[in-house]
Amino acid sequence: MRVRGTRVALPPAPVVHRRFEELVDDAPDHLAVVCGGQRATYQELNAMANRFAHFLMSRGTGPGARVGVCLDYSIDMLVAILGTLKSGAAYVPLDPSYPAQRLRAMVEQLTDLASIVVSPSTAGLVSAANAELVDLEALSELLATQSPANPDVSVTGQDLCYAVFTSGSTGIPKVAGVRHEGWFNLLNWLSLEYGLHQGSDNLVVSAFGFDLTQRALLAPLFCGATQHLIPSRHFDTALAYRTLAEHHIRTVHCGTSALYLLIDWETARGSGALDRVGHIFFGGEPMSADRVVPWADREGNTCRLLHQYGVAECTDVASSYDLADYLAGGGGTDVVPVGKPVHNTDIHIVDEQLLPVAPGEYGEICISGISIGVGYLNAGGSGSDRFVRVVRDGVPIRLYKTGDRGTVTAGGDLVVAGRLDSQVKVRGMRIDPVDVERHLDRLAGVRASAVVPRRHGSGEVELVAFIVPDGGEIVTNDVRSRLVAVLPQNMVPAEFITVPEIPLNPHGKKDHRALAERLHGSARRPVDDARAG
């Protein structure tokens, strides 16, 4: 089964920062970025980025080099990103909100960084790195002497533009590289498909290290709009919502769990800033329709919700689905589709031999096309088997095996049915814990849930459910009896634990690893869950 994305021609040099430079020429005085009390126009931001690019080039940093960026949200962050790209190098986000142990593990994987851009408040977090630390504040006088003109550096669509860390079941972070061509294609598709323009002001609400944050940062600067940054290291629902209202934000890119928090905040206060946002692009984890549909379907809500699917290895977004289609159809299904492929990208559903399955059948989701990245920059072979070459219609193509299980509806929309590698056997039955979460989330009285597999000392596996009650107390036996009515006994968790909230990892997804570690002190140990982290 293969679903083809629309073919759209790209310019000879599909490079994102060149598009930004064109917009600088078109509207130099338009506001480019706002962060706290600071702001910069397109011309001002471009000049600052150019000065930093010339500084990097004077130090020998250019095409083929990689520059780490460890900064809090600020105008300097955009200066560092754009300046690195303009020098011909690629940037690597090093999120200062991450735990120190994870940052150390990330830095250890990056032995070839030319430098790391820091501030006085972040320099200590990466001091162990084998790379020069570049403090923009300390270098302000030197940077002022650099040229404000666009650097004359040849950059092609095949060059690396950024690399982000992904977390896998091994616990060792891997660095997935993205090409300029793939990133340009994604941002161009967003602009064309959803009509983004100079008024499509954006608010960043996700962690810097998240793959979706990279498009969130540059999407408004690709269409001439204004980027709004919150000068906070951690997501603050109240602050984010207030910014939405005060600045009349029109686009937001976020993880599904962050969307839940914003909806809950608006619903609890009876206000309406969120439902006046033009577009919310969300995804990254299974969606609970009951958490979104009542808000989306209320009278006066004009927000367009786009449920998206993708992986860091393939430039973040591979498909998108307008939730209005789900609402128009009356809902009725537990799993909300993730839609059709983006431009110049194909979705494949294959069996274990990488052969196409028949329409309507389930198999592994694979991705091909412009969006496929360069692979893992630090893997040393680990994980590289996910990038394979196959022949389709007599033509050799490169596929990325996502490890996700899915199918395609009769209407051509992709449906994700969980992870192949997170399935566990419970008394002989193969189960995806995500399926159990979906049923729990639909129960009255349950606001959110997470299910973690745990192994007995004998090797037998059982499921443990963490539940956030919706309001008052929740009766475990009542939840169990309601699940027994709709699920096989093997899929009903052996234990239910009430918690005030489900922890989120730095990427804004459910932190199954943290919940598994919480169980670790018991006589039974958690299974190594590939979804964890």
Side-chain angles (χ1 to χ4, degrees):
M1 183 65 191
R2 180 178 187 177
V3 184
R4 298 176 184 267
T6 302
R7 272 29 182 187
V8 173
L10 301 181
V15 178
V16 171
H17 63 269
R18 296 284 185 241
R19 170 62 176 161
F20 168 72
E21 291 170 354
E22 293 171 1
L23 293 168
V24 172
D25 293 337
D26 292 343
D29 296 326
H30 189 72
L31 193 58
V33 56
V34 176
C35 184
Q38 297 183 317
R39 55 186 56 210
T41 66
Y42 269 76
Q43 187 174 56
E44 290 168 341
L45 179 59
N46 191 53
M48 288 186 285
N50 287 340
R51 290 189 173 98
F52 181 58
H54 285 293
F55 166 79
L56 290 177
M57 293 161 60
S58 72
R59 308 287 282 265
T61 300
R66 300 166 195 166
V67 175
V69 178
C70 186
L71 293 171
D72 292 304
Y73 282 119
S74 59
I75 293 178
D76 276 351
M77 177 186 282
L78 288 178
V79 169
I81 290 173
L82 286 168
T84 298
L85 296 172
K86 285 166 171 280
S87 76
Y91 77 94
V92 183
L94 298 171
D95 194 332
S97 71
Y98 283 178
Q101 183 177 353
R102 178 165 177 83
L103 270 177
R104 284 195 296 271
M106 293 165 68
V107 168
E108 289 172 358
Q109 299 297 312
L110 297 168
T111 59
D112 59 349
L113 285 180
S115 57
I116 301 178
V117 187
V118 298
S119 69
S121 64
T122 65
L125 299 173
V126 290
S127 58
N130 184 28
E132 178 187 15
L133 303 187
V134 175
D135 186 335
L136 292 183
E137 293 183 30
L139 293 173
S140 58
E141 292 186 6
L142 177 58
L143 290 174
T145 66
Q146 302 294 316
S147 170
N150 294 331
D152 184 16
V153 178
S154 176
V155 181
T156 74
Q158 294 303 304
D159 290 330
L160 187 72
C161 59
Y162 72 82
V164 290
F165 283 86
T166 66
S167 55
S169 57
T170 63
I172 300 174
K174 290 183 287 190
V175 189
V178 172
R179 293 188 177 95
H180 276 279
E181 182 181 49
W183 202 21
F184 187 100
N185 181 69
L186 172 61
L187 298 181
N188 191 57
W189 166 78
L190 280 170
S191 295
L192 295 177
E193 185 74 11
Y194 301 109
L196 303 186
H197 53 79
Q198 193 177 70
S200 300
D201 293 356
N202 183 73
L203 174 66
V204 175
V205 297
S206 50
F208 180 36
F210 201 2
D211 53 348
L212 75 77
T213 303
Q214 312 320 307
R215 52 134 151 147
L217 283 167
L218 268 293
L221 303 182
F222 193 90
C223 66
T226 302
Q227 177 67 279
H228 290 263
L229 303 174
I230 298 176
S232 174
R233 189 168 293 183
H234 300 282
F235 176 68
D236 183 318
T237 307
L239 184 55
Y241 191 86
R242 186 165 69 247
T243 306
L244 284 172
E246 291 178 355
H247 295 280
H248 306 290
I249 299 300
R250 300 298 298 157
T251 64
V252 173
H253 304 254
C254 64
T256 303
S257 292
L259 176 61
Y260 294 161
L261 294 174
L262 290 169
I263 288 175
D264 290 348
W265 185 273
E266 175 158 289
T267 302
R269 285 152 184 80
S271 48
L274 189 64
D275 63 16
R276 291 191 295 271
V277 172
H279 297 84
I280 296 180
F281 306 95
F282 72 101
E285 60 186 320
M287 171 191 164
S288 171
D290 289 346
R291 296 293 300 276
V292 177
V293 168
W295 171 83
D297 206 26
R298 71 183 189 180
E299 185 178 357
N301 191 334
T302 58
C303 179
R304 191 175 179 187
L305 289 168
L306 291 313
H307 187 216
Q308 301 184 321
Y309 169 78
V311 293
E313 292 85 349
C314 297
T315 324
D316 178 32
V317 179
S319 69
S320 186
Y321 178 79
D322 194 329
L323 205 65
D325 295 336
Y326 182 82
L327 298 175
T333 60
D334 290 342
V335 183
V336 180
V338 290
K340 296 178 175 61
V342 306
H343 292 168
N344 303 312
T345 300
D346 294 350
I347 300 292
H348 307 252
I349 309 295
V350 303
D351 61 18
E352 293 180 354
Q353 285 74 45
L354 297 180
L355 298 175
V357 303
E361 291 188 357
Y362 284 82
E364 182 172 8
I365 301 170
C366 295
I367 301 170
S368 69
I370 284 178
S371 65
I372 293 189
V374 301
Y376 299 119
L377 306 183
N378 67 326
S382 175
S384 59
D385 57 345
R386 288 191 176 277
F387 296 87
V388 298
R389 291 194 176 275
V390 299
V391 175
R392 292 290 185 268
D393 301 325
V395 178
I397 62 172
R398 188 165 175 248
L399 285 182
Y400 176 74
K401 300 165 56 181
T402 68
D404 291 324
R405 179 172 174 266
T407 187
V408 175
T409 68
D413 289 313
L414 176 65
V415 173
V416 181
R419 291 286 297 173
L420 292 171
D421 52 9
S422 69
Q423 294 181 351
V424 293
K425 275 194 173 182
V426 178
R427 295 188 293 280
M429 181 181 185
R430 188 164 293 280
I431 294 170
D432 188 336
V434 171
D435 290 338
V436 183
E437 291 177 4
R438 289 195 183 102
H439 282 86
L440 276 169
D441 290 344
R442 292 179 66 86
L443 296 181
V446 176
R447 172 163 294 277
S449 70
V451 176
V452 176
R454 183 172 63 181
R455 192 186 306 276
H456 288 268
S458 62
E460 183 180 345
V461 174
E462 65 183 9
L463 301 178
V464 178
F466 291 84
I467 296 175
V468 179
D470 187 8
E473 294 185 4
I474 194 164
V475 179
T476 296
N477 287 339
D478 178 51
V479 174
R480 180 179 285 108
S481 63
R482 284 187 285 164
L483 281 182
V484 167
V486 295
L487 291 177
Q489 185 65 44
N490 295 34
M491 293 183 69
V492 178
E495 183 177 355
F496 296 84
I497 300 174
T498 300
V499 292
E501 61 182 10
I502 301 298
L504 305 181
N505 65 17
H507 288 178
K509 300 180 182 181
K510 294 179 183 179
D511 196 339
H512 292 87
R513 186 182 301 278
L515 294 173
E517 290 174 351
R518 173 172 173 168
L519 297 175
H520 193 67
S522 67
R524 298 176 292 265
R525 62 184 179 86
V527 176
D528 182 15
D529 182 2
R531 295 174 304 148

